[in-house]
């Protein structure tokens, strides 16, 4: 017999769990979440998990600010701390172009009541003793920012959803096919039987297009490699030092248990064809560079200039995985192209932890037919017109947007 719900969410990563949380806490809809593995175990558990508010546009800032709200709300609801490390973030511009972009986002944060602080080079070095620069066009410190355990945040969204509303969670349940009649998806076929729902939220991470492409729909994104390295512990990397964003080095760094976690962007980012991704990312690699040494060699030079200690310490860990990048570096949140009852929470562009609160809020607003509180115009799933999410030229274009990314 079919299992029938008001809303079915496909995918139990951060974007599926936040969608469940916002729907359950604000409505009495019957909601089901379907996850083929275990909650939060795929892309979400791999994140470096920077959570920063300084973004290029007001809608992006709004998505992130909502995450901060969600964290404090969840802490109150669950009576437990989520250990958000509020170490702050420091944005170091070493070109006029970056300085202008960062000053613009700083101004937007000020208008919203935040208190970013401009720093001198000496003050920046005091905060991050590993930073070795003698020139900067603009440095700003945003005290509210930091990082959070992504798995814990994902679990908290889920606990919050369960505590607040009518939610059934189906783990170890794989959606095999979405069946449509005209523009409406009528049946969600899984390996545990069929589900029927008035509305469907697809938050299937980098696999999303394996469900949408057969329907002639899609999320305009490709699974593109994101990666970071973690050094051995060293006194140069105090645990209290901030997240540091270095646009010119195409790098970010933050403390990680006494070592430095740093992420670098490839000159040419690697992508995977959606159908080539295994169900579990454990052990998955985009190429034969399993330990990341080649990638490090190719991208480290500009970072080494501002962090020479990296050349001397041991590198202990390498983490890589797919993030869903779009051609314009903006997310995919809204109604699925050519489908009437399907909403997409996708195109994370390497920021799914930071934007998770705003995505959950927006999915709630869309599903309940309210005017979204956050302006979603820039994230409209149909903004690229018709595209083929399996086309190589399209996938390459998405990967290029990661290579060009300078923000955190
Ligand atoms: C190396 C790396 C570093 C990152 N660093 C940061 C960072 O610093 N800050 C930040 O904000 N973000 C960061 N990210 C991005 C962040 O991890 C993602 O944006 C976020 O996890 C996306 O969550 P999701 O729910 O979309 O995807 P996922 O966590 O992958 O969840 C999707 C879920 O859908 C399930 N699923 C897929 N297909 C089906 C199906 N057919 N049936 C049932 N279930 C299905 C999967 O099993 C999976 O659990 C990073 C990512 C990587 C890889």
């Amino acid at each position: 017999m079919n299992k029938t719900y008001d809303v079915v969410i496909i995918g139990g990563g951060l974007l599926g769990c936040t969608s469940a949380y916002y729907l359950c806490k604000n409505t009495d809809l019957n909601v089901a979440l379907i996850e083929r593995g275990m909650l939060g175990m795929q892309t979400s558990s791999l994140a470096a998990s920077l959570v920063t508010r300084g973004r290029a546009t007001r809608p992006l800032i709004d998505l992130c600010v909502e995450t901060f709200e969600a964290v404090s709300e969840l802490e109150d609801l669950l009576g437990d701390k989520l250990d958000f490390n509020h170490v702050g973030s420091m944005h170091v511009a070493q070109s006029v172009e970056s300085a202008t972009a960062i000053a613009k986002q700083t101004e937007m944060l000020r208008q919203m009541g935040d208190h970013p602080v401009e720093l001198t080079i000496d003050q920046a070095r005091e905060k991050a003793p590993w930073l070795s620069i003698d020139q900067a066009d603009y440095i700003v410190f945003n005290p509210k920012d930091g990082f959070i355990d992504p798995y814990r945040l994902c679990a908290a969204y889920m606990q919050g959803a369960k505590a607040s509303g009518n939610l059934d969670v189906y783990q170890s349940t794989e959606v095999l096919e979405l069946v449509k009649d005209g523009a409406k998806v009528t049946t969600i076929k899984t390996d545990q039987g069929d589900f029927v729902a008035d509305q469907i939220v697809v938050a299937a991470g980098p696999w999303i297009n394996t469900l949408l492409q057969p329907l002639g729909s899609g999320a305009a994104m490709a699974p593109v490699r994101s990666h970071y390295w973690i050094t051995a512990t060293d006194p140069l990397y105090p645990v209290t030092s901030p997240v540091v964003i270095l646009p010119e080095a195409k790098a970010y760094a933050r403390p990680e248990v006494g070592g430095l976690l740093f992420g670098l962007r490839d000159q040419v980012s690697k992508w995977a064809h959606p159908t080539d991704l295994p169900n579990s990312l454990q052990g998955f690699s985009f190429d034969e560079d399993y330990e990341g040494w080649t990638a490090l060699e190719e991208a480290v030079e500009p970072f080494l200039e501002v962090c020479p200690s990296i050349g001397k310490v041991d590198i202990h860990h390498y983490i890589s995985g797919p993030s869903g990048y779009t051609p314009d570096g903006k997310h995919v949140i809204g109604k699925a192209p050519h489908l009437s009852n399907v909403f997409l929470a996708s195109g994370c562009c390497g920021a799914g932890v930071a934007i998770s609160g705003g995505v959950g809020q927006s999915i709630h607003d869309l599903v309940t037919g309210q005017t979204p509180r956050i302006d979603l115009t820039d994230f409209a799933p149909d903004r690229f017109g018709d595209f083929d999410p399996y086309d190589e030229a399209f996938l390459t274009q998405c990967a290029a947007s990661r290579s060009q990314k300078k923000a955190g």
Side-chain angles (χ1 to χ4, degrees), residues 9-59:
I9 299 167
I10 304 172
L14 271 161
L15 300 190
C17 290
T18 181
S19 300
Y21 173 57
Y22 278 84
L23 280 169
C24 289
K25 80 177 170 116
N26 294 316
T27 73
D28 54 10
L29 294 168
N30 286 314
V31 180
L33 184 142
I34 304 177
E35 164 57 48
R36 74 177 152 206
M38 307 291 279
L39 300 176
M41 291 299 281
Q42 299 307 321
T43 324
S44 294
S45 63
L46 298 173
S49 242
L50 315 188
V51 183
T52 57
R53 300 156 74 94
R55 306 273 156 171
T57 64
R58 183 58 198 258

Side-chain angles (χ1 to χ4, degrees), residues 216-294:
S217 185
M221 51 137 275
V224 177
R225 181 170 74 177
S226 292
H227 50 185
Y228 57 85
W229 294 258
I230 303 172
T231 71
T233 58
D234 191 290
L236 262 182
Y237 311 133
V239 290
T240 51
S241 67
V243 168
V244 180
I245 312 285
L246 295 150
E248 276 60 47
K250 289 190 172 183
Y252 61 80
R254 68 161 174 83
E256 175 70 7
V257 289
L260 191 72
L261 178 159
F262 63 96
L264 305 174
R265 295 188 181 104
D266 301 303
Q267 296 294 334
V268 180
S269 291
K270 302 217 178 252
W271 52 264
H273 194 283
T275 56
D276 288 343
L277 282 180
N279 285 6
S280 166
L281 296 173
Q282 206 176 7
F284 170 73
S285 177
F286 281 76
D287 56 19
E288 291 184 354
D289 184 23
Y290 298 101
E291 295 182 350
W293 294 117
T294 307

Side-chain angles (χ1 to χ4, degrees), residues 165-355:
N166 307 313
L167 176 70
D168 289 335
V169 178
Y170 296 86
Q171 298 189 77
S172 305
T173 302
E174 179 166 16
V175 176
L176 304 172
E177 189 190 358
L178 300 175
V179 180
K180 66 172 182 167
D181 181 5
K184 187 174 180 202
V185 171
T186 50
T187 312
I188 301 159
K189 291 201 160 293
T190 82
D191 58 1
Q192 307 295 323
D194 292 354
F195 288 67
V196 172
D198 294 336
Q199 316 221 50
I200 299 162
V201 176
V202 191
W207 297 272
I208 192 165
N209 283 320
T210 60
L211 293 170
L212 298 172
Q213 197 268 359
L215 301 177
S217 185
M221 51 137 275
V224 177
R225 181 170 74 177
S226 292
H227 50 185
Y228 57 85
W229 294 258
I230 303 172
T231 71
T233 58
D234 191 290
L236 262 182
Y237 311 133
V239 290
T240 51
S241 67
V243 168
V244 180
I245 312 285
L246 295 150
E248 276 60 47
K250 289 190 172 183
Y252 61 80
R254 68 161 174 83
E256 175 70 7
V257 289
L260 191 72
L261 178 159
F262 63 96
L264 305 174
R265 295 188 181 104
D266 301 303
Q267 296 294 334
V268 180
S269 291
K270 302 217 178 252
W271 52 264
H273 194 283
T275 56
D276 288 343
L277 282 180
N279 285 6
S280 166
L281 296 173
Q282 206 176 7
F284 170 73
S285 177
F286 281 76
D287 56 19
E288 291 184 354
D289 184 23
Y290 298 101
E291 295 182 350
W293 294 117
T294 307
L296 183 62
E297 215 170 286
E298 283 172 5
V300 78
E301 201 53 48
F303 184 56
L304 205 50
E305 276 175 31
V306 294
C307 181
S309 56
I310 279 299
K312 297 173 198 138
V313 290
D314 288 342
I315 306 288
H316 277 185
H317 301 284
Y318 171 63
I319 309 287
S320 75
S323 286
Y325 274 85
T326 59
D328 59 3
K330 292 180 181 149
H331 313 296
V332 177
I333 309 165
K335 193 170 266 188
H338 310 302
L339 298 173
S340 60
N341 62 336
V342 177
F343 295 95
L344 308 182
S346 177
C348 72
C349 296
V353 187
I355 62 170

Side-chain angles (χ1 to χ4, degrees), residues 92-105 135-138 247-248 250 404-407:
V92 182
Q94 292 186 287
S95 73
V96 174
E97 189 200 351
S98 296
T100 309
I102 295 169
K104 183 181 156 210
Q105 67 191 33
Q135 177 277 329
D137 291 77
Y138 185 67
E248 276 60 47
K250 289 190 172 183
Q404 285 151 18
K405 184 175 171 183
K406 287 187 166 180

